[in-house]
Amino acid sequence: MDQYSGTAQVIFNSRVLAECDEATCNIMSQNQEVNTFKKGLAGFSRGPTKVEISLGSAVPIAGYEVDYEDLCVRKLPCTVVMIDAGKRRRYEGWIDTVDKARSTSASAKATVKFIGKPVGAAF
């Protein structure tokens, strides 16, 4: 029987996020297509790789694990490390948005959008 990857681990500014319940990572090459009359799609021009990471988190009554709002408002640099499918990837950037959701029919939730770039030996 085959085995498949389970949950990922997210480390934010050197802290393991225990309350993180969802993480999505969108990696964009941002390459530009090069089209010519003769060849049509002739290739691409390398663009700067961009990463957008969305982190969903449960909100403990004692407070957030990380003060994402402060980091966002103060525009401070951040580091995200994702360990997934046996690979450890490191990204540097900033918190772009913080969404907080409260409802009478669901648990308190916060979603953070991180924008950055991949860094390290793997890249």
Side-chain angles (χ1 to χ4, degrees), residues 40-108:
L41 179 59
F44 64 89
S45 175
R46 291 181 182 263
T49 302
K50 177 181 174 182
V51 176
E52 291 182 359
I53 298 174
S54 177
L55 301 173
S57 179
V59 181
I61 199 163
Y64 293 94
E65 287 182 283
V66 175
D67 191 343
Y68 298 112
E69 187 172 342
D70 185 56
L71 293 169
C72 182
V73 170
R74 295 178 60 206
K75 299 166 180 38
L76 297 174
C78 305
T79 302
V80 174
V81 175
M82 292 187 72
I83 302 169
D84 182 39
K87 297 272 187 174
R88 180 185 188 97
R89 307 283 189 185
R90 184 171 184 256
Y91 309 99
E92 292 179 351
W94 63 91
I95 298 298
D96 194 56
T97 59
V98 178
D99 293 316
K100 301 176 185 182
R102 303 296 184 272
S103 170
T104 58
S105 60
S107 60

Side-chain angles (χ1 to χ4, degrees), residues 10-21:
V10 180
I11 302 166
F12 187 91
N13 284 352
S14 301
R15 180 180 185 159
V16 175
L17 296 182
E19 302 299 337
C20 186
D21 61 6

